[in-house]
Amino acid sequence: METQAVCGAEDRGRKDSRAPRRLAIVHVVSSFQTGGAEQVVVDLAASQRAAGHDVLAVAIAEDPDGPRAEQLRRRGVEVHLVPKCPGFDRTLTARLAALFATRGVMLVHSHNHLSLIYAAPAGWLHRVPVIHTRHGVSQDMQGRRWLRSAASAFVDAHVAVSQPTAAVVLGRREVDPPKLHVVANGIDLSRFAPDPAARARVRAELAIPQDAWVVGSVGRLSPVKNQALLVRAAARSLPWSGRLLIVGDGPERGRLAALARELGMSDRVLFAGERHDVPALLAALDVFALPSLSEGLPLALLEAMAAALPAVATDVGGVATALVDGETGFLVPSGEVAPLAARLSELQADPGLTAQMGRCGRTIALRRYSAARMAERYMDLYALLLVRQPPRVAAVRPSTVLAWIWGADRKPREITAAPDRGDGRPHGDHPSPRSPAALPS
């Protein structure tokens, strides 16, 4: 069954005065650590804040703070930490609902599985629309599945970041089909482009010869990202002067370093660790590789395309919806070393093909995958939900009662937002999905 389009022409015509001009939106995430879903939240929240909406970002993991909190602060987004207790936290939903009540939240947007479990019922207690984005497909087939299924009943609209992700969700019967929409991820395209100066600077910093052929990958070092496959493929395909640059950190780093030693690649595999200058690092590459076992629509791939890099990626999740096999790079089977190594060797042997694929990928990224386009589609979906949502009438909202019970002495930890410029908007220029006036009055 096909998923719904977001706000088609018929839906746009039905918008009426029930949708407010200025929204109070809360984004709920597991943590503010580095990750693709977290970056989507940063870009989306910043765009909404720049459009004049009131935006709150909440993290709920046991250790939820991280670098994304600072990025949100700089964009004028208010940040709260509401850490969950170890195990299943019986109080977290109530605490979130109380926060929503005290902040006058009008729409709850949760991201990925942990926030779904706690934030969706909290939004229901607060009697406002709830939207949930699935940035990928869960790997634990059992685990907290029953909790996610129960929480899904409180969600008014589910969003998958690619059609393949939506198909998996429907196949598992985790979502009611009429509630499912697809909104592709987007990136801040202004940050990514070929940059010869950055290329020379980063290569000098990392002691990479300026004329070396460099394959790179960006992402958390975890089993699902399967960088071990890339190390094995590089051992077969890299010339002696070539390098493999792995950007990111995580639990697999020690095992990957050991594998590189075992394969005699220690001097040619470089671990850059977690970095916040990804555009410059991409500029230093010749080819981007994505060896994942599972993906939604990976931002790292979109960023590489915008940087005019050809990509060799495993055909998983929504990768094939962005990477055009044979035109912007190559798709290879997941988990197989030989095809990945062969495609890397093919690109290394043909600089003309490499450049052509990179240019084609950049053209597609610029046309389809901007953060502004993503934010606009989410704002259309918000407006649709606020119009179609049946009124949830209650003399007193349950969230208001919970706010009174929890009291002022149990406020969440707040990280103060960056000061406004004086006109109600944060410092800096950010893409605007919809000005308040563009939403129905």
Side-chain angles (χ1 to χ4, degrees):
M1 182 178 296
E2 293 186 359
T3 57
Q4 296 186 36
V6 177
C7 279
E10 179 182 359
D11 292 324
R12 293 177 193 272
R14 292 179 179 175
K15 294 179 184 178
D16 59 29
S17 59
R18 288 179 291 170
R21 289 178 175 271
R22 182 180 180 122
L23 299 181
I25 304 162
V26 61
H27 292 276
V28 184
V29 296
S30 295
S31 76
F32 294 126
Q33 298 296 331
T34 301
E38 292 79 8
Q39 185 62 57
V40 167
V41 170
V42 170
D43 290 336
L44 181 56
S47 186
Q48 292 164 347
R49 181 68 182 92
H53 302 292
D54 298 319
V55 187
L56 175 68
V58 176
I60 63 174
E62 297 168 35
D63 183 19
D65 204 357
R68 300 300 189 209
E70 176 58 28
Q71 291 180 330
L72 287 161
R73 286 197 301 269
R74 290 199 304 266
R75 290 158 172 80
V77 176
E78 188 177 346
V79 177
H80 279 277
L81 308 178
V82 188
K84 69 180 286 294
C85 299
F88 179 72
D89 188 340
R90 299 177 184 275
T91 69
L92 182 53
T93 290
R95 287 186 283 137
L96 287 172
L99 174 62
F100 300 164
T102 59
R103 304 317 299 262
V105 167
M106 300 162 65
L107 185 141
V108 174
H109 192 161
S110 63
H111 299 264
N112 277 340
H113 308 294
L114 188 64
S115 61
L116 167 68
I117 291 169
Y118 294 100
W124 182 85
L125 288 171
H126 186 49
R127 299 297 195 257
V128 297
V130 177
I131 180 174
H132 176 69
T133 296
R134 293 167 178 254
H135 294 270
V137 178
S138 174
Q139 294 300 299
D140 59 50
M141 298 300 292
Q142 301 301 323
R144 291 186 290 261
R145 196 173 195 178
W146 70 272
L147 284 173
R148 295 197 303 270
S149 178
S152 292
F154 299 105
V155 175
D156 299 291
H158 291 264
V159 172
V161 298
S162 70
Q163 285 288 353
T165 300
V168 171
V169 169
L170 288 175
R172 293 182 179 180
R173 299 183 179 180
E174 294 181 356
V175 173
D176 291 336
K179 291 184 177 182
L180 186 59
H181 305 257
V182 174
V183 178
N185 284 340
I187 59 173
D188 180 358
L189 293 168
S190 66
R191 300 177 59 224
F192 300 93
D195 187 342
R199 179 183 179 90
R201 183 179 68 254
V202 169
R203 287 190 170 212
E205 173 196 341
L206 299 177
I208 298 174
Q210 295 295 327
D211 60 348
W213 189 73
V214 182
V215 178
S217 188
V218 179
R220 178 170 168 76
L221 307 187
S222 63
V224 72
K225 298 299 183 181
N226 200 21
Q227 287 93 350
L229 181 74
L230 179 56
V231 174
R232 295 183 185 281
R236 297 189 184 189
S237 60
L238 274 186
W240 282 108
S241 61
R243 297 290 186 274
L244 171 61
L245 178 61
I246 297 178
V247 181
D249 208 347
E252 289 290 287
R253 179 161 181 169
R255 191 172 79 86
L256 292 170
L259 177 62
R261 288 193 300 271
E262 176 188 331
L263 297 174
M265 294 282 291
S266 293
D267 58 339
R268 291 186 289 159
V269 178
L270 308 177
F271 293 93
E274 184 174 322
R275 300 276 296 246
H276 302 290
D277 57 344
V278 171
L281 291 163
L282 290 176
L285 304 181
D286 294 293
V287 174
F288 181 81
L290 186 79
S292 302
L293 295 172
S294 175
E295 289 286 355
L297 180 57
L299 296 189
L301 174 62
L302 305 183
E303 292 168 353
M305 291 169 60
L309 290 173
V312 182
T314 49
D315 189 2
V316 296
V319 170
T321 65
L323 191 161
V324 183
D325 189 35
E327 295 185 19
T328 66
F330 294 113
L331 294 170
V332 296
S334 177
E336 297 185 24
V337 174
L340 177 56
R343 289 304 193 182
L344 291 175
S345 295
E346 184 175 346
L347 288 172
Q348 192 273 329
D350 193 341
L353 177 63
T354 297
Q356 178 184 332
M357 286 183 163
R359 288 191 299 268
C360 184
R362 177 166 169 78
T363 298
I364 289 176
L366 294 177
R367 187 169 66 241
R368 299 180 185 173
Y369 296 111
S370 71
R373 179 185 174 116
M374 172 187 70
E376 180 177 335
R377 292 185 173 184
Y378 272 115
M379 293 306 297
D380 284 344
L381 181 55
Y382 290 2
L384 178 63
L385 288 178
L386 289 164
V387 167
R388 287 187 166 184
Q389 182 70 50
R392 293 171 176 170
V393 179
V396 178
R397 297 188 191 204
S399 58
T400 303
V401 176
L402 290 167
W404 178 81
I405 293 173
W406 283 96
D409 60 328
R410 298 186 182 183
K411 288 182 179 178
R413 291 162 52 198
E414 178 178 349
I415 303 178
T416 305
D420 287 348
R421 302 180 304 193
D423 61 354
R425 296 189 180 190
H427 290 283
D429 296 322
H430 307 287
S432 172
R434 283 284 191 271
S435 66
L439 287 172
S441 59

